[in-house]
Amino acid sequence: MKVAILGTRGIPAAYGGFETLAEELSVRLARRGHDVTVYARRGAVREETAWYRGVRVVFVPTVRHKYLETVVHGVTSGLHAATQAYDAVLVCNGANALACRLPRLLGSGTRVLLNVDGLERNRRKWNRAGQAVYALSERLSCVLPDVVVTDARAIRRYYLSRYGRESAYVPYGSDLPAPADRSILERLGLAPGSYVLYVSRFEPENNPDAVVRAFRGVPGDHRLVLVGSAPYARAFIALVREEASKDPRVLLPGAIYAEGYRALLANAAAYVHATEVGGTHPALIEAMGYARPVLVHDTPENREVAGDAALFWDAREPATLTRLLARLLADAPRREALGAAAGRRARVLFRWDDVTAAYEALLAGLPADGLPPDGLPSGPAC
């Protein structure tokens, strides 16, 4: 097939979940013999190149604006796609619902999938106008694409109950290669197992500030490493840095990708996940894939992902994380058991080969069969 992925910042990934999906999926589809293009934004990828691991990368313009950048890039990508006669296009982000018609603008029979992500209108960073746009996009997502894709069953149930729209459930993969280079640890002054890791965009609904406040009450010499950044969030990032300055054990190295990111994940004593909004978050299942013990903010989507292989806390009450972390960091056998349970669950439920096969079928107009069922046990309760 001749396929394209649009609606992300592009590849190689240098931002978030959709970029991870675009990179992992496109490369695997190309290996299976498909002609794959990913649309990208200049200044938003690790390396600006026309080809990446067998995938064509096309840069199209956008505007640098908090509320317009994603939508404008979706439109310009969709207009370019209309000239390419793709067999199928995967559009990422519900905000790009309007772009779903564009690849068929010149009358081609292009099949269009839309991955809506989570309930974006609930993000605290959006003003009322932004929330209204996402609310409208939810409705358009139900009528404009050929197939709606949801990455969590909780989001799938939401679209079915609210709009009566069926969607195809396809999560993310967790099986990343073992890191060959651990030099990032030395550069940051860390030793394996000496730190707690948090990875996410620094936005209010991802609660990095709550994680810092919780960690201040945890005794001992472990460090807290918060990896991430975010465009258009300078005031909030300044707040997080102010909170972090109150505890010398807290480290904020910024955004880290590729081998450095994998090394930090694979060698953490524990991983803290604090997101309120969204479906399946790649960093969480990747930490599980490296058999790290995970402490997860309790939402239906996060509980669906982590099952009984996690400890759950409430980001609105940071003390709940303080207590769990203090006990876990003092109990090496429990950390090992919890990490092993997470690894087992990830190996069964979140495999990139399964994800790729599901998208390949959907792009070809077939059902996305073969994904593991939900609710599999992950071993003894921890």
Side-chain angles (χ1 to χ4, degrees), residues 16 22 37 97 146 163 191 211 244 287 307 325 329 342 349:
T37 297
D146 296 299
Y163 301 109
V211 174
L325 261 180
L329 293 177
L349 295 180

Side-chain angles (χ1 to χ4, degrees), residues 41 43 52 55 67 90 141 145 176 201 207 217 267 270 298 307 340 346 357 364:
R41 309 177 201 175
Y52 177 74
V55 177
Y67 300 112
L90 170 62
S141 297
L176 297 180
R201 294 197 299 270
N207 294 297
N267 291 282
D298 197 354

